[in-house]
Amino acid sequence: MPPETPAQLIPAPSSIDGTRRGGFTLDARTTLSAGPGTETTERWLRSTLAPALGLALAPGDEGGGAAKNTIRLVVDETLESEGYRLQISAEEGVELRGGSGAGVFWGAQTLRQLLGPEAFRRAPLTGHKPTVIAEQTIEDRPRFSWRGLMLDVARHFTHKSDVLRYLDLLAAHKLNVFHFHLTDDQGWRIEIKRYPKLTEIGAWRSRTKWGHRFSDLWDEKPYGGYYTQDDIREIVAYATARHITVVPEIDIPGHSQAAIAAYPELGNSDVVDTAALAPWETWGVNPNVLAPTEHTVEFYEGVLEEVLELFPADTSPFIHMGGDECPKGQWRQSPTAQARIEQLGLADEDELQSWMIRHFDGWLTSRGRRLIGWDEILEGGLAPGATVSSWRGYAGGITAAEAGHDVVMCPEQQVYLDHRQDGGIDEPMPIGYVRTLEDVYRFEPVPPGLSPEAAAHVIGTQANVWTEVMQDRSRIDYQVFPRLVAFAEVAWSALPAPEARDFADFERRMVEHYRRLDALGVDYRPPGGPLPWQKRPGVQGFPREGAPPTV
Ligand code: ACM
């Protein structure tokens, strides 16, 4: 018998043809036939899905022939690259065809949802429980090719095992970009062999602001951590096995105090005593920025040479160079920076920053990579090959898209998941604007009014998670979930215009999805507000009042 209620799929697929005459029963005898190009999905089914349900999934039916009790995985290039068709038939078993290995993998994520919350269990089940899936055919493809999450591991360090867990959570939601914010004022988190002090000194701070920057509280413990190059390789391999591209971010020329603390000659030492600087202990926009010298450029080329080795071109075509929030005060005062402006024939400090970003755009392009930066890289002129992460609203993204540059829309006012989820006093991280689950569900990455040509340059969207007030994994979970689920549907599904979106239907499907998140051990914010242990009195916040600006 088919199950009584259809699975509540999230993100919503393009179409479901559910005649539901009968059901297919997955049981101890079900075999797995994996065609060429489907190896990642085969491994994932064996390592994750089969143990959760206590299934053996013996190899079988290699020729795609007559066996009925089989899951067949097939790459079918007549389908869209990341698209898939999932056919469940009582007679024929499960056939999952994808336009590529990625398409098959996303289809397997849908299959997991069809199998019920038990399929999300993390502990292996001994003995199996036959599971019935209703007969149906699901056709699906993503709206955007860039469906991302940015995690800031600089303000608070996320241990490697928690990064891997987040990659699993992204995959479960068909998100395919992990933007890895590896460097900032408060910590340098990636081992660079030729510059060991970046992590010996730059990865550790002596104490940490507790709460927002205006808070008067401190955590007086030394704090830090970093990823070894082996850790990075493991993270990249884990992501690649889940069809997730990792975009490493090495932020220049602002957000660099940790690097300057390690190598003081990188800073504007003719203006400040850079030898006295340490990794920053508090939050905000930091005045201590990189000196715009040949030495700095050569140093960062050395960093990038190792970064390019660790993040190979086929799986990490994009390298993020930051470019955000670089105060120009030190450059205005610095005779060295002023001489540089004159020598290069530039108009001002904005053009000096643009010169630096252009340099790395050319450097990366000549090595077969693409530079992406925050929308401040528009100031002083956009580098020819640059892609823009539009975070200060939509405006930078609109300008860049109209100028023919690719854009990832991630406006702070809409999809910064560090912003609080409710205006109540129980909200444990009371910073930013209130951005509810429904607000995120109604986020539209392509602003109205963009010409079709410009709109085609919006290659996708991502949600960003800054961790100043998130000290551990449970805190991050609370901020990210359930809003990332709504975001994933925005990024994947072809939803109508924001005002026409059926949030009630999304909430109805969320009832089942919360059970999946429970099985995955995600400390999400429940619909009714934080649980007693999730409340955190004493964290001093910085709420912004009223509605956020829209564009
Ligand atoms: C940013 O939020 N500074 C990109």
Side-chain angles (χ1 to χ4, degrees), residues 89-224:
S89 147
E91 299 300 316
E92 312 282 335
V94 175
E95 183 168 282
L96 170 53
R97 305 177 85 81
S100 64
V104 175
F105 186 76
W106 304 132
Q109 304 311 311
T110 300
L111 176 63
R112 187 193 206 181
Q113 294 194 358
L114 294 176
L115 289 163
E118 300 76 29
F120 290 76
R121 284 167 45 94
R122 289 156 299 152
L125 192 68
T126 34
H128 78 95
K129 188 165 135 273
T131 313
V132 182
I133 320 175
E135 288 199 303
Q136 58 196 301
T137 299
I138 295 172
E139 304 253 9
D140 203 7
R141 74 195 73 86
R143 178 178 177 199
F144 293 109
S145 63
W146 182 301
R147 307 180 298 278
L149 176 77
M150 188 222 72
L151 182 63
D152 164 19
V153 296
R155 274 50 176 270
H156 282 98
F157 179 62
T158 295
H159 191 272
K160 180 185 72 182
S161 60
D162 290 330
V163 172
L164 301 183
R165 172 179 176 269
Y166 255 81
L167 292 171
D168 279 325
L169 291 171
L170 294 192
H173 294 88
K174 300 188 174 74
L175 296 169
N176 67 344
V177 176
F178 179 60
H179 173 168
F180 205 9
H181 183 79
L182 287 163
T183 71
D184 217 301
D185 299 305
Q186 297 82 358
W188 182 284
R189 306 274 176 236
I190 174 171
E191 178 189 26
I192 300 295
K193 301 262 194 214
R194 75 188 75 178
Y195 305 127
K197 286 195 282 186
L198 284 172
T199 42
E200 282 166 17
I201 294 174
W204 309 96
R205 58 179 183 255
S206 54
R207 61 176 188 160
T208 300
K209 174 64 70 178
W210 185 253
H212 195 267
R213 66 180 184 276
F214 299 136
S215 144
D216 51 13
L217 304 175
W218 293 93
D219 181 343
E220 295 289 350
K221 286 193 298 299
Y223 182 92

Side-chain angles (χ1 to χ4, degrees), residues 255 324-325 374 376 391 416 466:
H255 289 285
D324 56 322
E325 297 179 320
W374 302 108
E376 286 92 331
W391 77 276
Y416 267 33
W466 302 99

Side-chain angles (χ1 to χ4, degrees), residues 32-36 59-67 70 72-74 95:
L32 177 62
S33 156
D61 188 25
E62 289 301 336
T70 299
R72 277 182 297 280
L73 309 179
V74 181
E95 183 168 282

Side-chain angles (χ1 to χ4, degrees), residues 13-17 79 84-87 137-141:
S14 310
S15 76
I16 306 179
D17 170 11
L79 299 171
Y84 65 89
R85 181 185 305 129
L86 177 59
Q87 276 178 295
T137 299
I138 295 172
E139 304 253 9
D140 203 7
R141 74 195 73 86

